[in-house]
Amino acid sequence: MLTKVRGWQPFDGESLLDDVGAILDDVVPAEEALDDYALRLRGHLMQLVAIAIAAEAGQRDAEAEQLIEHARRLRTEAMPGEHLQAVGHLRRMAWSVNELHERLGAIKCLREAA
């Protein structure tokens, strides 16, 4: 339990939106930055899914349940080795982060997104 408490990171909606914006921007991220973005986006997905589960969002809202399942699938997918395919994968992850974030705000599971 102590390990989990020490590893806990508070929800940072600003950082989430910065990462989503950087990936969904018209400018393709540099290849050397892709692994860092992948790590951060996976972290955002994990945190949003944890929030959704704690708030029982999937039981209350069918769209939230679909977004949770999609986020879980994306989070476990391996990053493609080719640069443009990797960017495509990151964009799918960023889109999923954004959609789940907005949905959780709409159903009042997050104050920041509301």
Side-chain angles (χ1 to χ4, degrees):
M1 179 95 142
L2 183 58
T3 304
K4 286 187 177 187
V5 170
R6 286 183 179 158
W8 178 77
Q9 295 291 322
F11 179 72
D12 184 356
E14 190 172 319
S15 172
L16 178 145
L17 293 175
D18 287 345
D19 290 340
V20 167
I23 295 299
L24 295 180
D25 193 357
D26 290 338
V27 177
V28 176
E31 190 166 359
E32 52 275 357
L34 297 184
D35 287 336
D36 289 337
Y37 279 120
L39 183 65
R40 289 198 307 268
L41 288 172
R42 280 191 184 98
H44 294 314
L45 285 173
M46 288 172 49
Q47 195 169 39
L48 289 172
V49 167
I51 291 168
I53 290 170
E56 298 180 347
Q59 288 87 5
R60 297 186 297 143
D61 186 78
E63 185 178 345
E65 179 62 26
Q66 289 175 341
L67 291 169
I68 291 166
E69 291 306 315
H70 183 68
R72 285 178 168 159
R73 279 193 307 275
L74 275 176
R75 189 182 67 207
T76 61
E77 287 181 10
M79 180 91 129
E82 199 275 320
H83 183 246
L84 289 181
Q85 289 178 345
V87 170
H89 176 70
L90 288 178
R91 286 185 172 168
R92 286 188 298 280
M93 285 177 60
W95 188 258
S96 183
V97 166
N98 189 58
E99 292 296 306
L100 185 54
H101 180 246
E102 285 184 1
R103 190 68 199 152
L104 291 177
I107 61 174
K108 309 274 190 265
C109 294
L110 285 175
R111 259 184 279 166
E112 288 188 34

